[in-house]
């Protein structure tokens, strides 16, 4: 799998001020645990996304450290209580230093 | 007398190949964590501080048919205000090659201290979760997941 990981994010629409909403995310990634051995008997080096961060207008909302035990194509859901309009930014950090980003406009009524 | 003759039929060759593949997948899982390793990880973070039961709920299946994808949800009771919220939740698995599974960090903006993901489990084992509140108090819970097909080979 050498295609670039693609994040997918679902935020419910029609948010009222004070609502607590559930954000669901999914990103394509093999999450190679570093525990497997290849055909040649050598360990396959670890390559996972080790951190997920969600911020709203720059303020931390939720973050997760992922270890080797997280499944391939990791799913992450979390809750969020927006009280103003703004931007929800999500960043996935790869072992190799790469960062994958997704943003969602949040409008509260 | 000659020993039993093994015919190199196509099926036999395929069987041998499958066996070889299976052992190469299982071999790395021989080194694994145990409940002591999990305790050591928690001690590293909180230095043996007292933990209470309750307030934290761990939602995992009792039986997981496929250890590669086991859903997990943690939910902690908290008002989630600036003064009183859940700072972090750590999750460990005592039968995986490495004990650490994940750490979630919440904030008052979370609104609710709950999150879900999916994990790999090598075998039947206990999942241990520890929640740290903003006042420093700790809560813990434990759940057993029976795994039908281990998720180590990926």
């Amino acid at each position: 799998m050498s295609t670039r990981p693609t994040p997918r994010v679902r935020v419910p629409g029609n948010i009222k001020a004070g609502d607590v909403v559930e954000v669901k995310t999914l990103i394509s990634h093999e999450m190679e645990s570093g525990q497997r051995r290849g055909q040649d008997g050598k360990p396959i080096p670890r390559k996972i996304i080790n951190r997920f961060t969600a911020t709203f207008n720059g303020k931390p909302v939720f973050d997760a450290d992922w270890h080797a035990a997280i499944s391939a194509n990791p799913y992450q859901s979390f809750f969020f209580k927006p009280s103003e309009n703004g931007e929800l930014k999500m960043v996935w950090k790869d072992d190799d230093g790469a960062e994958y980003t997704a943003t969602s406009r949040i409008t509260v009524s | 007398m000659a020993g039993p003759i093994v015919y190199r039929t196509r099926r036999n060759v395929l069987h041998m190949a499958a066996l070889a593949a299976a052992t190469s997948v299982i071999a790395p899982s021989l080194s694994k964590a145990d409940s002591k390793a999990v305790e050591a990880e928690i001690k590293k973070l909180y230095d043996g501080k007292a933990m209470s039961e309750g307030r934290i709920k761990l939602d995992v299946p009792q039986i997981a048919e496929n250890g590669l994808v086991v859903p997990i949800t943690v939910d902690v009771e908290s008002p989630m205000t600036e003064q009183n919220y859940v700072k972090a939740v750590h999750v460990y698995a005592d039968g995986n090659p490495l004990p650490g599974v994940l750490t979630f960090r919440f904030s008052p903006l979370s609104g609710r201290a709950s999150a879900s993901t999916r994990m790999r489990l090598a075998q039947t084992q206990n999942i241990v979760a520890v929640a740290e509140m903003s006042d420093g108090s700790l809560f813990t819970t434990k759940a057993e997941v029976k795994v039908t097909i281990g998720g180590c080979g990926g």
Side-chain angles (χ1 to χ4, degrees):
Chain A
M1 291 217 301
S2 54
T3 50
R4 190 179 159 83
T6 326
R8 282 195 290 160
V9 175
R10 182 176 286 178
V11 183
N14 233 333
I15 305 168
K16 293 182 194 70
D19 277 0
V20 177
V21 296
E22 187 175 23
V23 180
K24 296 178 176 177
T25 73
L26 194 63
I27 188 165
S28 55
H29 194 284
E30 67 267 49
M31 297 294 276
E32 187 58 63
S33 68
Q35 299 296 318
R36 296 197 307 152
R37 280 168 201 278
Q39 298 270 299
D40 55 0
K42 292 201 185 83
I44 303 170
R46 185 182 116 149
K47 188 184 182 294
I48 66 169
I49 294 174
N50 56 54
R51 198 165 159 82
F52 168 80
T53 329
T55 53
F56 182 61
N57 292 339
K59 284 177 286 201
V61 174
F62 170 82
D63 73 54
D65 291 344
W66 288 341
H67 300 289
I70 298 299
S71 303
N73 302 323
Y75 167 83
Q76 181 70 63
S77 76
F78 59 94
F79 286 87
F80 171 44
K81 190 179 178 184
S83 52
E84 53 182 350
N85 295 345
E87 191 183 69
L88 182 67
K89 185 179 179 190
M90 285 142 285
V91 180
W92 291 258
K93 288 196 176 108
D94 200 306
D95 272 348
D96 68 7
E99 286 191 0
Y100 319 111
T101 308
T103 53
S104 289
R105 284 296 313 168
I106 306 288
T107 315
V108 292
S109 54
Chain B
M1 287 282 282
I5 300 159
V6 179
Y7 292 102
R8 278 206 161 223
T9 60
R10 183 180 143 80
R11 181 175 291 178
N12 274 346
V13 171
L14 282 176
H15 271 165
M16 283 189 281
L19 260 178
T23 36
S24 73
V25 159
I26 291 161
S29 70
L30 289 176
S31 64
K32 63 175 186 68
D34 54 17
S35 55
K36 284 212 179 62
V38 170
E39 277 165 31
E41 288 287 316
I42 297 170
K43 198 159 181 238
K44 240 193 270 173
L45 281 178
Y46 297 116
D47 200 25
K49 218 176 135 194
M51 294 189 282
S52 332
E53 299 271 331
R55 281 186 75 173
I56 177 165
K57 219 180 99 211
L58 194 53
D59 195 358
V60 287
Q62 279 186 321
I63 298 169
E65 283 193 8
N66 179 3
L68 275 174
V69 196
V70 184
I72 170 168
T73 300
V74 292
D75 202 342
V76 190
E77 248 176 71
S78 164
M80 295 304 276
T81 59
E82 290 287 342
Q83 293 76 34
N84 184 356
Y85 63 97
V86 181
K87 260 169 103 169
V89 172
H90 310 277
V91 175
Y92 305 93
D94 68 8
N96 266 4
L98 298 166
V101 175
L102 58 86
T103 296
F104 290 153
R105 285 185 208 85
F106 301 97
S107 74
L109 264 183
S110 301
R112 186 174 158 194
S114 176
S116 310
T117 186
R118 298 173 190 145
M119 61 185 170
R120 290 191 275 238
L121 297 178
Q123 58 178 21
T124 296
Q125 57 185 295
N126 289 312
I127 309 302
V128 180
V130 177
E132 183 192 357
M133 307 296 168
S134 53
D135 64 2
S137 59
L138 302 177
F139 292 87
T140 185
T141 189
K142 197 158 97 172
E144 194 197 33
V145 181
K146 288 194 163 59
V147 177
T148 316
I149 303 166
C152 217

